[in-house]
Amino acid sequence: MATLMKIFDKAIETRMDRKCTFVALGGGVIGDMCGFAAASFLRGVNFIQIPTTVMAQVDSSVGGKTGVNHPLGKNLIGAFYQPQCVLVDTDTLNTLPDRELASGIAEIIKYGLIRDAPFFEWQEKNMEALLARDAGAFAYAIKRSCENKAEVVSLDELEGGVRATLNLGHTFGHAIETRLGYGEWLHGEAVAAGMAMAADMCVRMGWIDKSLQSRILSLLERAKLPTAPPRHLTTEMFRSTMSLDKKVADGKLKMILLKGSLGNCLFTSDFDPKALDATLAAFCDK
């Protein structure tokens, strides 16, 4: 919020009016913050996204979600506000550290799992090319990811239902980020561990078979991503943080879980709580 105020201070000091345009040049945090500032300043001014990380190019810059974190939970303060355009230049990816590159790949893997089996299979064949920053491979991965996200957002811009499926792994992942302190783990690292936890829970309920779980873990590992949270996070830490998740409705936690063959998922509160208990017990020391 303090950084947000710096944006407002500068905008007011320079007498910007409603015809001004805010430009977000950077990663997901920059885009989310700039977008929220644009949504709030003078009750809404234009803004443009120029994402420079994999995470921002394949996910956070597309779809109009803006906002900031609160100490008690991620993305709890914000607005749905669409940019005038999103300009992706893949050359910026050459400036990224390897860890940031891998973090963004977690969201690419997510799209294949929730709705695009052929895309997941393409990733299984091309993961090494992505890690090597092959321009052709990345251009395809970014394009396909944006197409997937745009299709979902066009059906449900304000996340009343199907858009929530884009949050596979995020319920566990946001708890990891919040409890470790924002920035200790990158967003994609936490989401990767969260997807592994979600897959474990789905196997326990018999919703997916173990062979799919093995493929998920294998692809995450090949992408140099974690497949488990830090062991010192307790089940109680997960529970208390997940209880504040945006997807809690009427006191019930709703989760995005895989069910059936590759590329199928659902957003539901109708899951076996004992499976959640068992998954948390398996991934936490206490």
Side-chain angles (χ1 to χ4, degrees):
M1 293 298 281
T3 311
L4 205 57
M5 290 310 295
K6 288 182 183 177
I7 299 173
F8 294 140
D9 289 347
K10 185 61 71 174
I12 294 165
E13 284 166 15
T14 53
R15 292 179 166 76
M16 287 186 169
D17 61 23
R18 281 186 166 154
K19 292 180 180 175
C20 74
T21 298
F22 286 12
V23 181
L25 175 67
V29 172
I30 296 294
D32 280 12
M33 184 163 310
C34 179
F36 188 35
S40 309
F41 183 62
L42 303 179
R43 297 199 176 94
V45 297
N46 288 344
F47 89 107
I48 290 170
Q49 289 269 24
I50 308 180
T52 60
T53 64
V54 180
M55 173 66 65
Q57 291 183 4
V58 303
D59 189 66
S60 62
S61 69
V62 180
K65 276 189 177 180
T66 72
V68 294
N69 298 327
H70 185 278
L72 293 177
K74 267 188 70 87
N75 303 334
L76 296 180
I77 303 159
F80 290 99
Y81 196 68
Q82 298 293 346
Q84 302 308 112
C85 76
V86 180
L87 177 63
V88 172
D89 184 345
T90 54
D91 283 353
T92 60
L93 303 184
N94 294 323
T95 68
L96 287 182
D98 290 342
R99 192 178 160 200
E100 283 278 0
L101 193 86
S103 173
I105 290 173
E107 297 284 4
I108 295 174
I109 293 171
K110 172 197 75 179
Y111 290 116
L113 286 175
I114 63 169
R115 69 189 312 270
D116 193 345
F119 187 31
F120 186 88
E121 290 159 358
W122 177 88
Q123 291 168 47
E124 289 180 309
K125 295 187 183 84
N126 292 276
M127 184 52 68
E128 282 63 39
L130 290 175
L131 291 176
R133 302 170 195 246
D134 178 274
F138 253 115
Y140 176 77
I142 293 166
K143 177 174 178 285
R144 193 71 205 108
S145 296
C146 289
E147 286 169 350
N148 270 297
K149 182 151 190 183
E151 285 170 20
V152 174
V153 172
S154 67
L155 296 170
D156 177 26
E157 182 182 3
L158 303 183
E159 202 167 70
V162 69
R163 181 170 181 169
T165 61
L166 295 169
N167 289 310
L168 175 69
H170 287 58
T171 306
F172 292 117
H174 283 170
I176 294 168
E177 289 180 90
T178 301
R179 284 299 181 166
L180 288 181
Y182 303 125
E184 281 298 309
W185 272 31
L186 299 175
H187 178 62
E189 293 170 336
V191 167
M195 290 193 290
M197 294 175 79
D200 178 89
M201 186 174 159
C202 294
V203 167
R204 291 176 189 276
M205 294 189 291
W207 286 12
I208 63 171
D209 59 40
K210 286 208 163 202
S211 64
L212 177 53
Q213 181 188 29
S214 296
R215 288 172 70 187
I216 294 167
L217 295 178
S218 172
L219 195 59
L220 290 171
E221 286 165 1
R222 284 171 59 200
K224 310 281 194 292
L225 288 162
T227 54
R231 295 292 309 187
H232 71 271
L233 295 185
T234 65
T235 57
E236 181 50 39
M237 286 178 176
F238 271 100
R239 288 187 180 288
S240 62
T241 308
M242 289 162 71
S243 71
L244 296 172
D245 192 275
K246 297 187 302 298
K247 295 178 291 298
V248 171
D250 301 323
K252 282 188 119 179
L253 175 64
K254 297 184 81 173
M255 298 183 73
I256 299 87
L257 297 166
L258 303 172
K259 190 168 188 179
S261 58
L262 174 64
N264 290 283
C265 70
L266 68 168
F267 178 44
T268 182
S269 59
D270 189 19
F271 55 82
D272 183 357
K274 289 180 180 173
L276 176 56
D277 293 343
T279 292
L280 290 175
F283 284 90
C284 302
D285 277 339
K286 55 185 178 177

